[in-house]
Amino acid sequence: MLGRLRNGCWMLTAAAGSRAGPRAHSSSAASGLLRSQAYIGGRWVEAGDGARFPVQDPTSGRQLAEVADCGPREAREAVRVAYGSWPSWRAATSKERSNLLRKWHDLMIKNKDELARLITAENGKPLQEAFSEILYAASFLEWFSEEARRVYGDVVPTSSPNRRILILKQPIGVASVITPWNFPSAMLTRKVGAALAVGCTVVVKPAEDTPLSALALAELADQAGVPAGVFNVIPSSKSNTPAVGEVLCTDPLVAIISFTGSTATGKILLRHACDTVKKASMELGGNAPFIVFDSADLDLAVAGAVNSKFRNSGQTCVCANRFLVQEGIYDAFVEKMVKAMHRDLLVGSGFDEQTTQGPLINERAVQKVESQVSDAVSRGACIVTGGKRHSFGAMFFEPTLLSNVTTDMLCTQEETFGPLAPVLKFRTEEEAVTIANSTNVGLAGYFYSRDYAQIWRVAEQLEVGIVGVNEGLLSTPEAPFGGIKQSGLGREGSKYGVDDYLEIKYVCFGGL
Ligand code: NAD
């Protein structure tokens, strides 16, 4: 358990007798799932040079733990171990792999409260959201435990009477997995669940801001009986990350790099991966348009807008980034949206039950929101609410709405990844679609309309991988998640989520 100190801060220590504990920093209680070493080959190990790096609570700035700082040497070792474990893992029956994933899922559910607290401690998101993330993360293990048994090949009608055409689907090999800090559990299980289900082994490098969730999941995988070497986790500091990333993308024993994070980092990893022609699964940044047409149910649109924009304090890759509102309802939308923000959003510590808006992840993230606000204001935007850092703490930003926004402003051209809602006005459907598509990324897009012909037209025209029609929250394990243009390659979750981890083999059966 995590302990709540009298001053309201949460601090972590390892449970007495646990196999691997962090250096303690004080606490009135302990977390049985807190691990601070790397998990390689089924063992908890330090980095070779004994180096560690601090993990901070973004709410208070205090140090939560210190974890092993893996470098290229540990990365190579983890890849070697994963490769060595691959033959026996791929030889296991799909039912055996399915059962292990299901056990891992069950352990996540059993430990959901503690896992959620770990997320809130290292990421800052409100506990209720962290709790939802754990259920969402576990749902991928459940989903892929089911999909494991349905990886079918094909028998294709032949054009030669003496031949048969067989198509096998086989695991690709070792998967390097690099995950972000905004969903430290769900982004891991969405990748690892798929990879393990079909018989791949994995090496995970979690984000330096949030390694504790990944290590807790390793502990539960261990308890579930996932064999040694099949799932490995190598935390790494910001300074070691580029070298570790390079190993994970260039080592000849790795077959695929699966990454979720910024488009800029994705491009670096793709460049690394090209020399050995690795497969790549990339979930990168977005710039989601949220279009509200005159025909929309305005209250539904406002509720969807608040949900989509402010979940995780605006730090989700599918969150609405630009609000495009038709001129007939523009003023009413702004007024209702501000009212809803004042009513529904409360900034504070994620451990406080009332809080809906936690901190941003770090100083860089806060500065990005600040600079987008000042750029917009300098170009004529109006701050309707918010607009500056929140007095609760250095990493907190006021939920902000800007009106009079135009397409030349940074906040419409770049992903914000913070609690900033810029609202543009448009006149025609054609204009809205043109603005929505005028970006080199295309992850999610949303629109609200009650005109059915318009719904079909716009859904088909939006250049994105995920469309929300009259709906602001979209993610679910049953549906494919992923973007087009520079938002990435491949799809995660759904029946398509295993495809990146499979090779297709054509077997020509002749001489019949
Ligand atoms: P980031 O790309 O810097 O970090 C993401 C991960 O990449 C972390 O694990 C980080 O340690 C690692 N990383 C960074 N540089 C690396 C390198 N040179 N080699 C190997 N690994 C490296 O992203 P960020 O700026 O911290 O996070 C915010 C961005 O992530 C947003 O812009 C958002 O678009 C994107 N994101 C996308 C999704 C998605 O599903 N599409 C999900 C979450 C975040």
Side-chain angles (χ1 to χ4, degrees):
M1 301 293 289
L2 304 183
R4 185 196 278 276
L5 299 183
R6 275 206 195 97
N7 64 5
C9 292
W10 290 77
M11 299 293 282
L12 313 173
T13 60
S18 63
R19 279 180 293 160
R23 291 172 190 165
H25 296 289
S26 116
S27 174
S28 52
S31 168
L33 291 181
L34 187 65
R35 294 289 175 268
S36 65
Q37 291 166 305
Y39 182 69
I40 302 176
R43 294 174 51 238
W44 294 99
V45 295
E46 291 293 343
D49 60 1
R52 288 186 158 221
F53 68 97
V55 181
Q56 284 177 338
D57 166 6
T59 299
S60 64
R62 282 195 224 175
Q63 186 168 306
L64 294 166
E66 281 186 328
V67 301
D69 188 1
C70 295
R73 198 165 58 160
E74 290 76 23
R76 271 190 289 273
E77 172 62 7
V79 167
R80 194 188 59 73
V81 164
Y83 189 76
S85 306
W86 182 39
S88 55
W89 184 244
R90 75 176 173 219
T93 65
S94 57
K95 189 168 181 188
E96 286 165 341
R97 291 196 297 266
S98 169
N99 287 345
L100 284 173
L101 284 174
R102 182 72 205 202
K103 274 190 197 154
W104 193 8
H105 161 271
D106 293 348
L107 284 168
M108 281 193 75
I109 298 298
K110 189 171 160 203
N111 291 279
K112 59 187 185 306
D113 293 337
E114 191 172 347
L115 290 170
R117 288 196 170 101
L118 266 181
I119 291 182
T120 297
E122 63 178 350
N123 166 287
K125 71 175 68 173
L127 200 48
Q128 193 51 44
E129 278 192 32
F131 187 73
S132 300
E133 180 182 341
I134 291 304
L135 298 183
Y136 179 54
S139 76
F140 286 110
L141 298 183
E142 180 183 49
W143 173 262
F144 286 116
S145 78
E146 293 158 354
E147 287 300 290
R149 301 182 65 190
R150 311 196 207 297
V151 180
Y152 302 133
D154 293 302
V155 180
V156 179
T158 178
S159 54
S160 312
N162 60 345
R163 287 181 177 183
R164 296 293 179 270
I165 298 169
L166 308 179
I167 297 178
L168 309 182
K169 290 190 181 170
Q170 298 185 312
I172 187 169
V174 174
S176 288
V177 169
I178 300 182
T179 53
W181 46 265
N182 63 343
F183 287 88
S185 289
M187 295 304 98
L188 187 152
T189 56
R190 196 162 74 183
K191 296 171 186 298
V192 173
L196 264 50
V198 301
C200 295
T201 55
V202 300
V203 176
V204 177
K205 190 213 79 66
E208 58 275 11
D209 291 308
T210 57
L212 301 177
S213 294
L215 294 172
L217 292 182
E219 169 59 28
L220 294 180
D222 191 275
Q223 289 178 19
V226 173
V230 168
F231 173 58
N232 306 278
V233 181
I234 49 167
S236 166
S237 65
K238 193 168 176 53
S239 56
N240 260 336
T241 282
V244 167
E246 187 168 348
V247 169
L248 293 181
C249 294
T250 56
D251 193 303
L253 300 182
V254 170
I256 176 172
I257 167 71
S258 177
F259 171 70
T260 294
S262 62
T263 299
T265 302
K267 289 179 184 178
I268 294 173
L269 303 181
L270 283 170
R271 278 185 214 112
H272 286 323
C274 73
D275 260 357
T276 45
V277 194
K278 295 194 196 315
K279 226 174 175 183
S281 167
M282 296 275 143
E283 296 291 348
L284 308 176
N287 183 356
F290 189 107
I291 307 170
V292 188
F293 290 104
D294 281 344
S295 70
D297 175 334
L298 198 51
D299 290 327
L300 189 69
V302 167
V306 173
N307 280 337
S308 171
K309 177 69 250 183
F310 293 102
R311 191 165 60 111
N312 204 7
S313 300
Q315 301 173 109
T316 72
C317 47
V318 288
C319 76
N321 202 57
R322 305 167 281 159
F323 290 88
L324 314 181
V325 182
Q326 201 154 10
E327 58 184 355
I329 50 159
Y330 183 89
D331 292 341
F333 176 86
V334 169
E335 192 184 321
K336 279 177 181 270
M337 179 90 175
V338 170
K339 261 194 201 146
M341 287 167 64
H342 289 164
R343 185 189 62 225
D344 297 343
L345 304 180
L346 191 69
V347 176
S349 159
F351 284 110
D352 195 326
E353 264 181 29
Q354 310 296 317
T355 295
T356 66
Q357 300 293 288
L360 301 192
I361 192 68
N362 53 35
E363 175 61 24
R364 235 177 350 129
V366 183
Q367 281 176 7
K368 186 170 188 192
V369 185
E370 271 181 333
S371 69
Q372 287 195 357
V373 171
S374 63
D375 168 78
V377 170
S378 75
R379 293 171 194 271
C382 305
I383 298 174
V384 185
T385 186
K388 58 183 191 306
R389 287 182 195 241
H390 195 279
S391 55
F392 192 83
M395 295 309 134
F396 291 79
F397 203 88
E398 294 175 344
T400 297
L401 187 138
L402 301 178
S403 65
N404 285 1
V405 172
T406 47
T407 53
D408 59 337
M409 298 174 183
L410 280 180
C411 59
T412 67
Q413 295 173 353
E414 295 177 346
E415 189 176 33
T416 304
F417 241 57
L420 169 60
V423 191
L424 298 90
K425 189 184 289 183
F426 71 86
R427 292 181 62 197
T428 64
E429 177 187 308
E430 192 187 6
E431 184 190 357
V433 170
T434 301
I435 295 173
N437 289 340
S438 62
T439 166
N440 60 11
V441 289
L443 186 54
Y446 307 82
F447 66 94
Y448 281 68
S449 167
R450 282 182 291 195
D451 172 341
Y452 284 97
Q454 180 174 58
I455 287 174
W456 277 108
R457 279 194 306 273
V458 177
E460 288 178 355
Q461 285 171 17
L462 283 181
E463 295 172 359
V464 294
I466 305 169
V467 179
V469 183
N470 297 325
E471 182 56 63
L473 297 175
L474 311 162
S475 303
T476 175
E478 294 83 6
F481 188 102
I484 64 171
K485 300 184 182 173
Q486 295 187 25
S487 284
L489 302 167
R491 293 294 180 270
E492 294 190 335
S494 79
K495 67 173 182 175
Y496 306 104
V498 293
D499 290 354
D500 280 336
Y501 301 95
L502 289 166
E503 288 288 16
I504 288 176
K505 183 183 281 178
Y506 159 41
V507 179
C508 179
F509 206 134
L512 300 177

